[in-house]
Amino acid sequence: MNIAKKITLLFAILSAVIITLLSGFVWYFSNEFAFEDFYKRLEARVNIAAEIKFSDDKNNNAYAKVRNQYLERLPDEKEYFIEKNGTSIPKFEMDLPKSFFDNINAGRLSRYRKENHFYAGKLVTRNQQSYIVIVSANDPFGFRELRDLQKILIVGFFLSVFTSFIVGWKFSNYMLNPLRNIIKSVKKIKAENLHLRLDVKGTDEMSQLSQTFNNMLNRLETAFETQNNFISNASHELRTPLTIISGEVELAIRNEDLSDKQFRALTKIRDEAERLEHILTSLLGLAQSGFNGQNQPWEQVRMDELILETQNAVTQVHPESKIEIDFSQLPDDESKITLKANRNLIKLAITNIVSNACKYSNNKPVLITLESKLNVLSIAIKDQGIGIPQGDIQHIFEPFYRASNTSPFKGYGIGLPLSLNIIRLHRGSIGISSQEKIGTEIKVLLPIS
Ligand code: ADP
């Protein structure tokens, strides 16, 4: 999940939690206090009902007058007068809980609510006889208010979460945009255009990040230039004496007065000079491919043609090799097998892998399969050779590394690292699967776009 989505989600979750807590708080206290007023009115009616019922002034009951004049009848209002016998719970038409009567027996005003029906009661003692006086009624207003509040809280919850989602999304985009611009600019900088720099505006953290990148690019460019110079100097400085040695030895070998011992010594010097030249060429190729592909042009390369060229190149050097090619999985669309590449380098990379397959299988058949799926070209090179011991597989892309089973074969351990560098230069990757004494399959994956 990207950072913008994470921030948006965090915003939405945070506001959902806060709004839920706040709504719960409001709901709880509204529930607690919404009926307080109604209970008070019921309790007043309990007192008045008791006074009216047990008043001595039977004919001119002042309380009855007050009630009739000033107190409206509550919806479904009822009065109950129960004679109390000991502490047993009296029989009542409604199922009221024991705690309700316990409170009354303890001399307190007691309350109880069942859905929208409210009860208030108290104990009244007249002429040594105790009575339980209960008044019950409905409270339509309190209930309606609570229901309205519930609706408001639910709508408010969804509105706030939605708003914070939108705000979070806008906010994260606003905050991350400069970072996205930096990423876009950095992606454009490659080995070929290392002189490019990022825009630095202002002094905030993003500008500091751009500045840091620029400083790093300065150092990288200097290092690349140094390496570039070293390679061309080394190439010249090492190649010249080597060519002289080879030339001189070649001349010396032609001398017919040489003894056998001298001839053998000179032949060995010539072979080793050739070997050194080969290593030097591979090493320079490896160094150059690792960072720099601009010396040769990049062009649209049809990979099926390149595979055929590779097959020719390998069979020219090793005529006894048997290379089979499988193009049966290829799509008709030419654009799906064409990619922008450095033709010579990519050919060198594939040739190295195919030559290895022929070499390490003693020229048993090698199968090259070319496929194109989901904008990725895959070139699989499969042999039936000696395979690579399990412990060596992870090291074979390291320069000069050779697996433990390769002693009968000539090699320097440079070909595969060189191929990997070239494939990486083309934003591709190499996969390998191998079983000792059974064979090896090396798969090169290259993105098309
Ligand atoms: P080398 O000159 O030794 O062939 P590479 O860099 O081309 O050097 O290969 C590195 C090592 O990887 C080889 O020494 C060998 O051990 C192993 N290897 C590469 N390809 C194969 C293959 N097709 N079969 C077996 N081993 C291989």
Side-chain angles (χ1 to χ4, degrees):
M1 194 190 285
N2 63 26
I3 296 182
K5 280 188 192 143
K6 277 187 196 160
I7 293 179
T8 310
L9 210 66
L10 197 75
F11 253 69
I13 291 174
L14 210 65
S15 61
V17 170
I18 292 172
I19 301 292
T20 309
L21 281 178
L22 197 70
S23 303
F25 192 75
V26 169
W27 178 251
Y28 175 77
F29 284 103
S30 305
N31 232 335
E32 282 287 295
F33 298 119
F35 305 119
E36 182 64 26
D37 189 45
F38 192 71
Y39 273 125
K40 289 254 163 67
R41 289 164 74 186
L42 269 190
E43 282 161 8
R45 278 165 175 74
V46 170
N47 287 331
I48 290 171
E51 288 306 329
I52 293 169
K53 176 86 177 168
F54 304 115
S55 169
D56 299 332
D57 172 16
K58 290 286 176 216
N59 301 324
N60 188 19
N61 192 324
Y63 283 103
K65 274 188 194 161
V66 169
R67 185 176 73 181
N68 293 338
Q69 271 186 13
Y70 300 110
L71 292 184
E72 57 164 327
R73 276 275 162 196
L74 297 170
D76 204 15
E77 183 178 328
K78 285 181 195 142
E79 293 166 0
Y80 306 90
F81 302 94
I82 305 158
E83 266 186 45
K84 185 172 175 289
N85 297 314
T87 52
S88 64
I89 296 173
K91 280 224 169 322
F92 193 61
E93 62 179 48
M94 281 295 304
D95 244 358
L96 295 179
K98 182 174 174 292
S99 57
F100 180 77
F101 291 104
D102 287 347
N103 258 339
I104 292 177
N105 285 336
R108 292 190 289 268
L109 273 163
S110 191
R111 295 170 171 184
Y112 178 65
R113 173 167 81 89
K114 193 162 193 187
E115 289 166 10
N116 192 24
H117 204 63
F118 293 74
Y119 295 84
K122 81 173 213 179
L123 197 66
V124 177
T125 308
R126 285 292 143 90
N127 305 326
Q128 272 98 47
Q129 173 60 49
S130 295
Y131 299 91
I132 293 173
V133 181
I134 298 174
V135 175
S136 75
N138 283 342
D139 176 12
F141 304 112
F143 239 73
R144 209 180 301 147
E145 277 166 18
L146 269 188
R147 263 204 300 271
D148 288 346
L149 180 69
Q150 193 180 28
K151 275 187 212 149
I152 292 169
L153 289 179
I154 290 173
V155 172
F157 173 83
F158 285 110
L159 265 181
S160 329
V161 172
F162 179 71
T163 313
S164 57
F165 188 86
I166 300 291
V167 172
W169 182 244
K170 294 267 169 220
F171 172 77
S172 56
N173 274 325
Y174 171 75
M175 292 303 288
L176 291 174
N177 249 348
L179 195 61
R180 287 199 188 109
N181 289 337
I182 291 178
I183 293 172
K184 218 196 275 171
S185 311
V186 171
K187 271 188 182 165
K188 282 187 202 147
I189 301 174
K190 307 225 166 68
E192 311 83 273
N193 53 13
L194 211 57
H195 58 277
L196 289 183
R197 293 291 178 269
L198 306 179
D199 281 347
V200 182
K201 289 184 204 136
T203 52
D204 60 5
E205 283 81 352
M206 293 297 171
S207 313
Q208 285 174 26
L209 183 67
S210 302
Q211 189 56 56
T212 312
F213 263 120
N214 285 346
N215 293 343
M216 191 186 73
L217 285 170
N218 288 342
R219 289 197 296 275
L220 266 181
E221 198 178 17
T222 314
F224 268 45
E225 265 169 23
T226 315
Q227 190 176 353
N228 214 353
N229 289 340
F230 168 77
I231 286 167
S232 44
N233 288 343
S235 161
H236 182 71
E237 297 296 328
L238 294 176
R239 229 176 250 285
T240 316
L242 208 56
T243 317
I244 294 169
I245 292 172
S246 298
E248 292 298 321
V249 169
E250 210 53 65
L251 272 180
I253 276 180
R254 286 194 202 139
N255 189 341
E256 284 166 8
D257 302 336
L258 288 179
S259 68
D260 261 7
K261 211 170 167 191
Q262 285 168 327
F263 183 77
R264 270 203 307 277
L266 283 173
T267 315
K268 187 137 197 180
I269 291 174
R270 186 191 60 188
D271 289 351
E272 288 304 305
E274 262 173 26
R275 200 167 103 89
L276 206 57
E277 205 172 341
H278 186 88
I279 294 178
L280 186 63
T281 310
S282 307
L283 265 181
L284 290 175
L286 177 64
Q288 266 176 333
S289 68
F291 74 102
N292 187 346
Q294 85 250 41
N295 294 339
Q296 287 129 327
W298 284 63
E299 56 191 294
Q300 293 295 335
V301 178
R302 268 189 69 149
M303 287 311 283
D304 52 345
E305 289 173 7
L306 191 116
I307 299 286
L308 290 170
E309 282 173 29
T310 309
Q311 185 192 30
N312 281 339
V314 178
T315 33
Q316 257 175 26
V317 184
H318 308 287
E320 55 300 349
S321 58
K322 296 184 199 72
I323 301 167
E324 291 159 17
I325 293 177
D326 179 1
F327 285 160
S328 61
Q329 306 291 324
L330 281 191
D332 294 332
D333 185 356
E334 194 182 309
S335 68
K336 298 223 159 104
I337 47 171
T338 307
L339 58 97
K340 191 150 192 245
N342 190 315
R343 190 180 199 95
N344 291 335
L345 284 183
I346 205 99
K347 190 170 154 190
L348 178 62
I350 310 287
T351 308
N352 275 342
I353 298 171
V354 177
S355 305
N356 274 350
C358 297
K359 176 167 72 174
Y360 292 112
S361 64
N362 288 313
N363 298 315
K364 280 193 196 139
V366 169
L367 178 67
I368 307 178
T369 313
L370 184 62
E371 283 179 61
S372 173
K373 271 187 205 146
L374 302 169
N375 277 340
V376 175
L377 256 172
S378 102
I379 306 154
I381 297 119
K382 195 171 183 183
D383 66 54
Q384 302 157 34
I386 58 167
I388 305 167
Q390 212 53 35
D392 289 324
I393 288 186
Q394 56 187 348
H395 300 293
I396 58 164
F397 290 104
E398 293 167 14
F400 301 110
Y401 190 90
R402 304 197 72 214
S404 49
N405 58 347
T406 53
S407 46
F409 303 90
K410 247 181 146 185
Y412 311 108
I414 297 172
L416 269 194
L418 175 61
S419 298
L420 180 65
N421 273 359
I422 293 172
I423 299 300
R424 281 195 180 147
L425 197 69
H426 290 79
R427 292 180 294 125
S429 58
I430 299 186
I432 187 159
S433 77
S434 182
Q435 247 184 309
E436 216 180 335
K437 295 188 183 132
I438 293 190
T440 304
E441 181 176 37
I442 294 191
K443 212 173 210 176
V444 175
L445 298 176
L446 289 162
I448 292 170
S449 56

